[in-house]
């Protein structure tokens, strides 16, 4: 029976199996999707074993493998050179395994109705998720981007690599007034240090977007809602990127008309 996975370190928090299994059941497809813990030192052995298995359809890739995956899987679309991080490995038409990134499209989906042209944006983090976020923001033509990160030089280099104007600041810096704030780091995730931001500098029409989905109600989103700011949680991005990956894995588009039921299940298992 065909199957796909999500790999990472840690991985127990992942809701990807719930999402993909929901769609497999809805479409009555013979297949499965599971979580697999893979430490960095085991990544090479993992891919060597899985790519030799004809039932394996591929995997989603999360922390800390989104950049090192390029060392193991072919990248004909030059994702490494554009986004610089991959989150999906799938079997191509000729049977060879390829990597791509569905995070950028998943991040963009909840913002599709917003006009962010020239708007100031703040992004927290400079890892694999931040790369996908900045790639999407560059396509949206946003205004100056402020990246907050522990390593300011890394953040500045990331801004430059996507051709974005703005500034890189330490995590302790005060937020500038921005139309959109995106937490693209693991801060605030269960088991990770908290993300402590003062949202007072934000205007009343600002949007706060947290890609973390475990917990779904992060302290950042709670603080934003306390100020009556619009919020977007990590489940929207997760489902958006998962839908693209699902079709690559199983050759069928997932049924998006039952998304509210899917979100409810994800909330009940939080």
């Amino acid at each position: 029976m065909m199957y796909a996975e999500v790999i990472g370190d840690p991985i127990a928090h992942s809701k990807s199996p719930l999402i993909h299994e929901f769609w497999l059941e809805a479409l009555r497809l013979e297949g499965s999707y599971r979580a697999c813990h893979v430490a960095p030192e085991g990544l090479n052995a993992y891919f060597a074993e899985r790519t030799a298995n004809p039932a394996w359809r591929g995997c989603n890739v999360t922390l800390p493998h989104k950049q090192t995956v390029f060392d193991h899987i072919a990248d004909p679309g030059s994702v490494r050179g554009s986004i610089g991080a991959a989150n999906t490995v799938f079997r191509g038409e000729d049977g060879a395994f390829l990597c791509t990134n569905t995070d950028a499209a998943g991040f963009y989906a909840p913002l599709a109705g917003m006009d962010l042209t020239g708007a100031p944006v703040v992004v927290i983090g400079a890892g694999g998720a931040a790369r996908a976020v900045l790639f999407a923001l560059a396509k949206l033509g946003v205004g100056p981007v402020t990246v907050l990160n522990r390593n300011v030089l890394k953040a500045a280099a990331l801004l430059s690599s996507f051709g974005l104007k703005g500034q890189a600041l330490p995590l302790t810096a005060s937020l500038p007034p921005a139309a959109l704030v995106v937490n693209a780091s693991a801060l605030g995730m269960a088991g990770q240090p908290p993300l402590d931001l003062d949202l007072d500098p934000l205007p009343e029409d600002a949007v706060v977007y947290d890609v973390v989905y475990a917990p779904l109600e992060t302290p950042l989103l709670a603080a934003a809602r306390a100020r009556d700011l619009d919020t977007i949680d990590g489940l929207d991005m997760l489902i958006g990127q998962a839908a693209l990956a699902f079709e690559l894995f199983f050759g069928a588009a997932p049924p998006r008309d039952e998304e509210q039921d899917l979100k409810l299940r994800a909330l009940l298992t939080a």
Side-chain angles (χ1 to χ4, degrees):
M1 182 172 67
M2 63 179 176
Y3 74 100
E5 297 173 300
V6 57
I7 64 170
D9 179 27
I11 201 59
H13 67 280
S14 177
K15 292 186 184 294
S16 291
L18 181 152
I19 294 168
H20 287 266
E21 289 287 343
F22 178 89
W23 288 332
L24 285 167
E25 180 182 346
L27 294 175
R28 297 181 180 178
L29 290 179
E30 290 291 330
S32 67
Y33 186 101
R34 63 195 73 159
C36 182
H37 177 251
V38 179
E41 62 272 16
L43 196 58
N44 185 60
Y46 170 83
F47 282 123
E49 178 185 341
R50 292 302 197 273
T51 54
N53 184 343
W56 190 68
R57 304 303 302 170
C59 67
N60 286 119
V61 180
T62 188
L63 293 171
H65 307 311
K66 289 188 176 186
Q67 290 169 273
T68 54
V69 66
F70 294 115
D71 298 332
H72 307 277
I73 301 295
D75 176 30
S78 298
V79 177
R80 188 176 210 161
S82 57
I83 299 179
N87 78 318
T88 305
V89 173
F90 67 101
R91 188 187 295 271
E93 293 181 0
D94 62 356
F97 283 96
L98 316 172
C99 62
T100 189
N101 191 303
T102 64
D103 275 340
F107 166 76
Y108 167 76
L111 301 174
M114 294 178 59
D115 182 9
L116 291 170
T117 306
V121 177
V122 174
V123 175
I124 296 97
R131 286 177 172 274
V133 166
L134 291 169
F135 177 84
L137 291 174
K139 297 295 183 184
L140 286 169
V142 300
V145 177
T146 299
V147 179
L148 304 183
N149 194 54
R150 289 192 186 93
N151 187 327
V152 176
L153 290 178
K154 180 180 180 181
L158 207 54
L159 272 176
S160 176
S161 69
F162 288 105
L164 289 164
K165 294 182 179 180
Q167 59 183 338
L169 299 173
L171 282 172
T172 53
S174 298
L175 288 180
L180 174 67
V181 174
V182 183
N183 177 30
S185 75
L187 295 173
M189 182 187 294
Q192 298 292 325
L195 175 59
D196 186 18
L197 289 180
D198 179 4
L199 303 182
D200 284 347
L202 299 182
E204 293 181 357
D205 59 350
V207 177
V208 177
Y209 191 151
D210 199 336
V211 304
V212 170
Y213 60 86
L216 196 58
E217 176 74 353
T218 63
L220 175 63
L221 293 183
R225 288 178 182 135
R227 268 208 56 198
D228 291 326
L229 300 176
D230 288 335
T231 60
I232 302 172
D233 62 52
L235 195 55
D236 286 315
M237 177 175 172
L238 181 66
I239 292 175
Q241 66 81 24
L244 298 170
F246 182 91
E247 191 163 356
L248 292 173
F249 296 148
F250 301 111
R256 303 297 297 274
D257 55 331
E258 300 181 29
E259 200 157 296
Q260 289 306 313
D261 187 18
L262 174 55
K263 286 186 176 181
L264 180 59
R265 291 194 189 189
L267 286 169
L268 291 174
T269 59

